[in-house]
């Protein structure tokens, strides 16, 4: 771990805190701008830091606490993990006064679809649900698709870890198999708005319809109406990156069931063929569930290998009518909760 | 689905099958080269096809069956799903005589890390294991990392669907929580070789050591010895794409346990810091497990947020010594099976 960081000697004086600029990239803590005599510093007593491109100030409750922070940095023994521990210790306080301005495009903490898009696929094991976190790496504006109530803490922590500003929690439909995390997320991040299809008749901050655009930073998700599993099912398309989030309409080598909640196999067949499989074959398919442990597919693969959707419509309808699936375990709890999520509190019992 | 394909009129004659070249990309079936009088055709009776860049012949058991195949193509009603069904019907026979030469770089059925690399992350729900399928999109040579016996059929089907030639089944270590799929894969794909660290003392076709390279097409996985969870733990690094497959050494915001199978927390700490966290921070971390539903991380994130690895070594060792984890459920079955996998048959009872 030697030479992981260079930590220059400080020139601060007790009582007159001189601001310095530190760059902390992972375990690498480096002084990038040593010292400047900022008049404001001697008055308020603060340390300017930059953590992985995210600039923030440490504003102690007193000049003394700020001094202690700076001096603890000074006397560090250049062991990177000790610096990390110190940093973590002060992080909460620091972020209170932070002005997040991450440079994700430089730090590359994004995702596989290019340096300008943050992308994370997350899984909830109980209902086999995939949640997706997307963000513009420059503005940090983020959208979460299909969050689950059980994993909200994990998701919100990741949002914070990645320095994101979550502006939308978007649901592809009124889920019957799990309670959405939208309501809980809004409690933790009050600026986040819930989104659902207007057709669903569920309550949410933002109701969307065919052709609407959900914007985050320079990106936009196109809303496509894809009824069949439910009336209010929507699919999100991120054209710039060739990604399609299909909810419970198209699944990997499968599709959503059509035997409850306005389910209609004929509609589902048309929705999938007209709105999803008509996209370029290279588009990546990210569904709301997979029960076999596959994480992604492509339009091309589903056109060729989906055992149901490669059938003629009449055969597809017959297949869907004869699946004889069990009643969804969580439906009686999930449906009423999901019809009001994001506006009212989710039931305490959930 | 209109205009999804153009299907030109054929000019074949019963009894004298004229070869034609068809390009089938997903649901798009197009005649690219109409007809040529290949003398061989009239003798053997075959149809030349190209499915998603993979050239193959349909060789019927008789001239009549070949004729029927060609004529069934001819009389198709241009409905893409009917063509797909027809194609699927004949696919098995066709592939018997196939000469796979997929053009993945054109078809984009690859993965998110560029058009030249096939990448798929797969999950086994019982042991929360991630399996990775990697391939050179030009040569189709593929490697599977940490396959699980329960999901071998799924994985082999995907290998076939994507037209890959699996040459290695590589294990990051002798797993204690599940039986490796290497042995079963070798039964289904006899040309595939099992790979494990020599230090593990397990049997396999290929034993690797620090610095060895596992080559597939133009790509190569660098083997890094990362003991600590077990003596024989290795990490694979795909430098060109910035991917690191960490097995049970580094997990997302965690690490492998060190309380059985030669476990040594001090060694694990050094392995992770020296061999994994010393990689560029933008490298994507793909572990063998995640119990919280996260699918990927980065070196930068783990350097900053891993609650164990950001600690000093002595604190880390203390933490690891006091985890008090339960005895692994499958260890008594998994260890003996995994010590011989890939060479001998896995036990029938597994």
């Amino acid at each position: 771990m030697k030479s992981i960081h260079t930590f220059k000697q400080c020139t601060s004086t007790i009582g007159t805190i001189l601001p310095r600029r530190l760059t902390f990239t992972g375990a690498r803590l480096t002084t990038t701008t040593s010292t400047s005599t900022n008049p404001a510093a001697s008055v308020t007593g603060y340390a300017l830091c930059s953590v992985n491109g995210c600039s923030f100030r440490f504003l102690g409750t007193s000049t003394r606490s700020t001094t202690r922070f700076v001096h603890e940095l000074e006397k560090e023994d250049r062991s990177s993990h000790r610096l990390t521990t110190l940093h973590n210790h002060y992080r909460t306080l620091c972020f209170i006064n932070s002005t997040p301005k991450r440079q994700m495009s430089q730090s590359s903490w994004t995702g596989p679809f290019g340096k300008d898009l943050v992308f994370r696929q997350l899984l909830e094991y109980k209902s086999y649900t995939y949640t997706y976190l997307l963000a513009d790496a420059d503005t940090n504006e983020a959208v979460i698709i299909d969050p689950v109530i059980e994993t909200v803490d994990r998701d919100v922590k990741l949002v914070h870890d990645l320095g994101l500003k979550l502006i939308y929690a978007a649901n592809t439909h009124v889920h019957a198999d799990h309670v959405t995390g939208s309501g809980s997320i809004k409690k933790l991040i009050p600026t986040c708005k819930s989104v659902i299809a207007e057709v669903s008749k569920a309550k949410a901050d933002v109701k969307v319809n065919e052709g609407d655009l959900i914007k985050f930073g320079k990106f936009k998700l196109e809303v496509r109406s894809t009824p069949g599993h439910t009336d209010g099912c929507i699919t999100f398309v991120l054209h710039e990156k060739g990604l399609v989030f299909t909810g419970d309409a198209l699944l990997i080598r499968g599709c959503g069931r059509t035997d409850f909640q306005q389910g209609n196999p004929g509609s589902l067949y048309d929705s999938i063929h007209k709105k999803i499989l008509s996209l370029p074959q290279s588009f990546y398919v990210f569904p709301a569930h997979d029960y076999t442990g596959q994480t992604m597919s492509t339009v091309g693969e589903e056109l060729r290998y989906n055992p149901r959707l490669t059938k003629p419509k009449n055969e597809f309808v017959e297949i869907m009518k004869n699946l004889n699936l069990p009643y969804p375990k969580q439906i009686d709890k999930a449906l009423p909760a999901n019809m009001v999520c994001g506006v009212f509190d989710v039931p305490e019992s959930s």
Side-chain angles (χ1 to χ4, degrees), chain A:
Chain A
M1 296 300 289
K2 288 174 186 171
S3 79
I4 258 203
H5 61 87
T6 54
F7 189 66
K8 295 179 185 171
Q9 285 301 310
C10 296
T11 53
S12 65
T13 313
I14 296 175
T16 313
I17 309 301
L18 295 176
R20 76 208 59 205
R21 188 168 291 276
L22 306 166
T23 302
F24 186 98
T25 51
R28 293 170 210 216
L29 181 56
T30 52
T31 309
T32 52
T33 309
S34 56
T35 316
S36 72
T37 47
N38 183 340
S42 59
V43 178
T44 59
Y46 64 86
L48 278 176
C49 297
S50 171
V51 175
N52 214 47
C54 171
S55 300
F56 63 90
R57 297 174 175 193
F58 173 74
L59 269 173
T61 49
S62 65
T63 305
R64 176 170 293 184
S65 71
T66 312
T67 306
R68 196 171 63 236
F69 171 68
V70 171
H71 277 245
E72 285 200 49
L73 282 178
E74 282 177 348
K75 69 186 180 189
E76 273 302 315
D77 63 356
R78 305 194 183 198
S79 152
S80 64
H81 52 76
R82 282 209 58 193
L83 286 171
T84 308
T85 308
L86 177 69
H87 174 73
N88 283 339
H89 181 68
Y90 279 97
R91 194 157 60 90
T92 314
L93 261 180
C94 292
F95 271 104
I96 291 170
N97 301 290
S98 69
T99 311
K101 196 188 171 193
R102 232 170 10 109
Q103 294 170 337
M104 291 292 282
S105 55
Q106 289 177 17
S107 67
S108 304
W109 288 14
T110 54
F113 297 103
K115 299 298 181 199
D116 54 347
L117 178 74
V118 179
F119 174 93
R120 293 303 164 97
Q121 184 175 25
L122 299 150
L123 172 63
E124 197 281 309
Y125 281 107
K126 195 169 144 192
S127 60
Y128 303 88
T129 302
Y130 285 126
T131 296
Y132 301 93
L133 179 63
L134 308 173
D136 180 319
D138 296 317
T139 67
N140 295 324
E141 286 188 337
V143 176
I144 195 163
I145 297 174
D146 286 335
V148 180
I149 193 166
E150 279 86 355
T151 41
V152 160
D153 287 345
R154 175 200 66 187
D155 299 346
V156 168
K157 184 175 184 308
L158 186 59
V159 165
H160 286 151
D161 280 358
L162 299 177
L164 304 177
K165 184 187 170 194
L166 192 63
I167 56 174
Y168 294 118
N171 291 286
T172 53
H173 64 294
V174 175
H175 302 274
D177 58 349
H178 66 270
V179 176
T180 173
S182 312
S184 299
I185 285 176
K186 280 167 54 69
K187 278 187 183 175
L188 296 168
I189 306 175
T191 51
C192 177
K193 292 180 179 175
S194 58
V195 180
I196 205 159
E198 183 158 27
V199 178
S200 73
K201 296 176 184 163
K203 292 188 178 177
D205 299 318
V206 180
K207 312 278 185 66
V208 290
N209 290 293
E210 171 82 15
D212 285 351
L213 299 175
I214 299 171
K215 295 178 183 172
F216 58 105
K218 68 172 177 289
F219 294 109
K220 48 191 181 296
L221 288 168
E222 182 203 337
V223 175
R224 293 191 173 195
S225 173
T226 48
H229 172 64
T230 74
D231 273 356
C233 280
I234 48 179
T235 288
F236 301 120
V237 187
L238 187 61
H239 287 276
E240 298 100 310
K241 296 292 179 180
L243 310 180
V244 53
F245 301 92
T246 57
D248 279 15
L250 177 63
L251 304 180
I252 299 171
R253 311 290 194 268
C255 63
R257 60 196 289 181
T258 54
D259 56 344
F260 61 87
Q261 264 188 299
Q262 319 105 35
N264 184 319
S267 298
L268 183 62
Y269 189 87
D270 291 339
S271 290
I272 293 174
H273 274 288
K274 289 177 183 167
K275 302 288 185 67
I276 300 172
L277 296 182
S278 57
L279 288 164
Q281 293 183 44
S282 60
F283 270 41
Y284 292 103
V285 172
F286 286 107
H289 302 283
D290 188 82
Y291 306 97
T292 69
Q294 298 188 80
T295 57
M296 67 166 74
S297 184
T298 60
V299 167
E301 277 175 69
E302 295 310 315
L303 273 169
R304 184 170 166 190
Y305 296 123
N306 191 299
R308 294 179 188 169
L309 273 310
T310 48
K311 297 280 193 301
K313 187 172 176 177
N314 59 339
E315 283 184 38
F316 174 86
V317 170
E318 279 308 303
I319 291 170
M320 297 306 291
K321 281 183 177 171
N322 293 290
L323 291 180
N324 299 318
L325 295 169
Y327 192 69
K329 285 179 192 168
Q330 295 193 64
I331 190 168
D332 296 325
K333 182 177 74 175
L335 282 191
N338 291 339
M339 286 299 285
V340 294
C341 73
V343 176
F344 301 104
D345 289 347
V346 289
E348 289 302 320
S349 62
S350 64

